Amino acid sequence: MPTVLSVTMAIGSHKLSEQGAITKRMTAIEEMAGMDVLCSVKTGTLTLNKLTVDKSLIEVFCKNCDKDSVVLFAARASRVENQDVIDACLVGMLADPKEARSGIQEVHFLPFNPVDKRTAITYINESGKWHRASKGAPEQIIDLCNLKEDARKRAHAIIGQFAERGLRSLAVARQEVPEATKESAGAPWEFMGLLPLFDPPRHGSAETIRRALDLGVNVKMITGDQLAIGKETGRRLGMGTNMYPSSTLLGEKGGHANSDVAGMPIDELIEKADGFAGVFPEHKYEIVKRLQDRKHICGMTGDG
C-alpha cells in the first residue's frame, strides 16, 4: 500500500509540474487535496501588482502647483534605478523618465522602510537652493506636514473615497532646506496632494476563485490594505465582501484575541469571514492557527 500511494503521488507531482506547479514534498499533494480553506494575500497574488494612476483623480492641496507638479515631486521622491512597483509607476508617468532627476543634484535619498513608511530625497536645484520631496503612506505624510484640522479632514475624506473604489492612496510633500545640509530639519513641510493607485485584479483570479468555491474550498482574502479596498477587490473577484479589520483578531493589550466580535466568538467570525484587512504577519498566523484548531486544512498563498 505505501508503494502504491507513493507511485500515485509521484504521478500526481509530475502532472502538476506540467502545469507549472512544483511540489517540494509529495505528501503536500495529499494535504492540498484535503484543503477546505484557502487564505490568499491580495497584492501580487489576486492582483497583478502593476500599479497605475488615474491622473484625473489626483487631488491637489498646495497653492501654486498643479497635478503635474504633484506627479513630478512624487517621481523625484522615487528611485530611478532598482525601482519598486510604485517608483516605476510614478517615474513612468513622466513624459521622459529622465525628468525625475533633470535640473537637480541628488544629495541624499531615504529609501522606504516599514517604520517611516515613506521615501524622501534631498536635492539642490539649478539655482543652488536645497529642497526635499517625500512620498508615502498618507497618515505619515499628513503627520509630517502637521496638517490643520480642515485639511486633515479633507484628506481623510478623499482617502476614504479612493478606498471605496478599490484605490490605494499615496501622499506627496515638499520642503525647503535653507540650512543647506542633509541633516538639518528644514522648513515646515508642505502637503502637495494625494494620488490614487490602482492595482488591477490578475487575469483569471475571478475564475480560479469560482472554481475553488465550486470544489468546496472557502477562499479568504488576507490583505494589509484598507478594509474598503479589500471589500471592493473581493466584490470584483466574486469572493464576497464580508470582511473585517485586523483589530477584530488581536487585542490592543498583550496580543490576545478579543473574546467576542459583532456578537459571535472570534473562531466563528474567522470561519465565516470572506477576508481581513490591515493585517500584519501575526494576524496571518492567528487566522491560520485558529482555523487549524477547528480541524480545517488551511492553505496560504503569497507571502504568508
Side-chain angles (χ1 to χ4, degrees):
M1 184 60 72
T3 303
V4 173
L5 290 175
S6 296
V7 171
T8 301
M9 285 190 288
I11 294 172
S13 178
H14 177 68
K15 288 187 176 181
L16 285 172
S17 68
E18 291 177 342
Q19 299 181 43
I22 305 300
T23 55
K24 292 183 178 180
R25 295 181 298 110
M26 285 198 297
T27 53
I29 300 173
E30 183 181 1
E31 293 169 0
M32 187 172 68
M35 180 181 67
D36 63 332
V37 178
L38 174 62
C39 297
S40 175
V41 298
K42 180 181 75 69
T43 304
T45 300
L46 297 176
T47 63
L48 290 171
N49 199 23
K50 292 182 179 178
L51 300 177
T52 58
V53 174
D54 187 340
K55 196 172 180 180
S56 65
L57 295 178
I58 294 175
E59 289 286 341
V60 180
F61 279 67
C62 59
K63 297 179 180 179
N64 303 319
C65 63
D66 54 18
K67 294 180 180 181
D68 289 329
S69 300
V70 175
V71 172
L72 176 60
F73 276 82
R76 282 183 176 173
S78 304
R79 285 195 180 279
V80 291
E81 72 288 325
N82 301 322
Q83 296 174 323
D84 63 13
V85 178
I86 294 178
D87 289 351
C89 170
L90 296 172
V91 175
M93 289 184 68
L94 301 174
D96 183 351
K98 293 180 180 179
E99 290 180 31
R101 294 293 184 271
S102 177
I104 67 172
Q105 177 188 341
E106 180 179 336
V107 177
H108 178 260
F109 189 88
L110 173 71
F112 180 87
N113 66 76
V115 177
D116 295 319
K117 293 185 178 180
R118 67 183 182 92
T119 64
I121 183 175
T122 303
Y123 64 91
I124 305 172
N125 66 12
E126 293 177 316
S127 302
K129 295 183 178 180
W130 287 53
H131 296 266
R132 287 195 185 103
S134 183
K135 74 174 193 318
E139 281 302 327
Q140 311 304 120
I141 303 297
I142 287 172
D143 290 341
L144 183 70
C145 297
N146 195 24
L147 277 189
K148 294 181 178 179
E149 190 61 27
D150 289 346
R152 190 178 290 262
K153 286 182 178 179
R154 179 190 166 198
H156 285 151
I158 293 168
I159 293 167
Q161 291 168 10
F162 285 167
E164 288 173 359
R165 301 175 63 173
L167 304 173
R168 295 164 60 187
S169 298
L170 185 77
V172 184
R174 64 184 178 185
Q175 177 193 49
E176 294 181 356
V177 188
E179 300 90 345
T181 63
K182 66 178 183 179
E183 296 84 8
S184 62
W189 284 90
E190 181 181 19
F191 193 83
M192 296 191 69
L194 291 165
L195 295 91
L197 300 174
F198 178 57
D199 184 12
R202 186 178 293 276
H203 305 298
S205 285
E207 174 62 16
T208 300
I209 291 170
R210 185 193 65 77
R211 291 173 61 185
L213 293 173
D214 289 344
L215 291 170
V217 178
N218 183 5
V219 183
K220 300 180 185 295
M221 182 192 303
I222 314 296
T223 178
D225 284 337
Q226 292 170 281
L227 181 60
I229 296 175
K231 286 185 174 182
E232 176 61 18
T233 304
R235 184 190 66 79
R236 295 186 185 200
L237 295 176
M239 60 186 300
T241 58
N242 183 32
M243 300 185 186
Y244 299 90
S246 59
S247 58
T248 61
L249 298 171
L250 298 178
E252 294 181 0
K253 295 181 180 180
H256 298 294
N258 298 324
S259 60
D260 193 56
V261 178
M264 69 173 71
I266 189 68
D267 290 345
E268 186 179 344
L269 181 78
I270 291 175
E271 275 189 320
K272 293 185 176 181
D274 294 320
F276 292 91
V279 300
F280 287 93
E282 59 265 31
H283 300 132
K284 296 178 183 179
Y285 175 82
E286 185 74 13
I287 291 168
V288 173
K289 181 177 181 297
R290 285 180 174 269
L291 287 170
Q292 290 176 334
D293 288 344
R294 291 178 75 89
K295 308 305 180 184
H296 290 286
I297 298 178
C298 186
M300 186 79 202
T301 68
D303 59 358

